[in-house]
């Protein structure tokens, strides 16, 4: 097998992702799941436009799996109202993805992509705030 073959590249990507997941913090895992869902929604949109029905269904199914994983990872006790709102949003996204799959509707995929982008941006900001607080806590402990 040549190193540039599609199969070789898929194996390389899969190994890279497995390595990322194995070394990721819980925050980074959520980011990876959001990124993965967004990438699959974008690819599903392209599949709809290309008339690739089977690929569209596969990609939307994977996106739904990632969104359901995000929902399952919520801690309702510690997360309180925020976790409840996120659970409702994840449920809405999963339902919209099912509808997009049934109708091959790019407008619904665009709506979901927008929601996922907002979640990605918010989650990145949480990471920056937590990192800044961690840096402040380390400075305070050093004093």
């Amino acid at each position: 097998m040549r190193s540039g073959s599609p199969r070789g590249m898929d194996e390389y990507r899969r190994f890279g992702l497995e390595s990322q997941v194995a070394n990721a913090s819980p925050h980074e895992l959520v980011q990876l799941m959001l990124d993965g869902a967004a990438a699959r929604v974008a690819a599903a949109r392209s599949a709809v436009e290309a008339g690739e029905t089977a690929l569209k269904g596969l990609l939307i199914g994977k996106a739904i799996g990632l969104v359901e994983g995000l929902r399952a990872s919520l801690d309702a006790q510690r997360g309180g109202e925020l976790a409840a709102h996120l659970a409702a949003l994840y449920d809405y996204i999963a339902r919209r993805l099912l509808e997009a799959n049934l109708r091959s509707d790019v407008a619904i995929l665009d709506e979901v992509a927008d929601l996922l982008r907002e979640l990605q941006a918010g989650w990145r900001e949480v990471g920056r705030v937590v990192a800044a607080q961690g840096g402040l806590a380390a400075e305070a402990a050093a004093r």
Side-chain angles (χ1 to χ4, degrees):
M1 165 177 35
R2 294 183 351 237
S3 63
S5 71
R7 183 174 175 191
M9 291 303 293
D10 287 345
E11 289 174 15
Y12 177 77
R13 281 188 203 104
R14 187 172 41 252
F15 175 75
L17 180 59
E18 289 172 5
S19 177
Q20 272 185 298
V21 168
N23 297 313
S25 69
H27 179 86
E28 291 166 331
L29 285 174
V30 170
Q31 192 70 55
L32 287 170
M33 292 173 76
L34 287 168
D35 293 348
R40 281 157 184 83
V41 168
R45 187 185 199 289
S46 295
V48 169
E49 291 175 336
E52 297 177 8
T53 305
L55 180 59
K56 171 208 65 170
L58 177 69
L59 291 164
I60 289 176
K62 288 183 178 194
I64 290 170
L66 287 164
V67 170
E68 289 300 320
L70 288 163
R71 189 180 58 72
S73 72
L74 294 170
D75 184 338
Q77 287 184 331
R78 291 179 38 198
E81 191 175 327
L82 177 59
H85 287 298
L86 283 171
L89 179 58
Y90 294 147
D91 181 60
Y92 176 77
I93 289 171
R95 285 185 286 116
R96 292 300 281 167
L97 285 169
L98 284 172
E99 187 175 353
N101 193 28
L102 289 171
R103 296 183 181 181
S104 292
D105 190 327
V106 294
I108 295 173
L109 292 172
D110 289 342
E111 173 195 358
V112 168
D114 288 343
L115 291 170
L116 289 170
R117 274 191 292 277
E118 287 184 44
L119 286 166
Q120 286 173 297
W123 198 247
R124 278 197 258 307
E125 185 58 29
V126 166
R128 282 191 280 275
V129 168
V130 168
Q133 289 176 346
L136 293 175
E139 284 179 31
R143 290 184 197 163

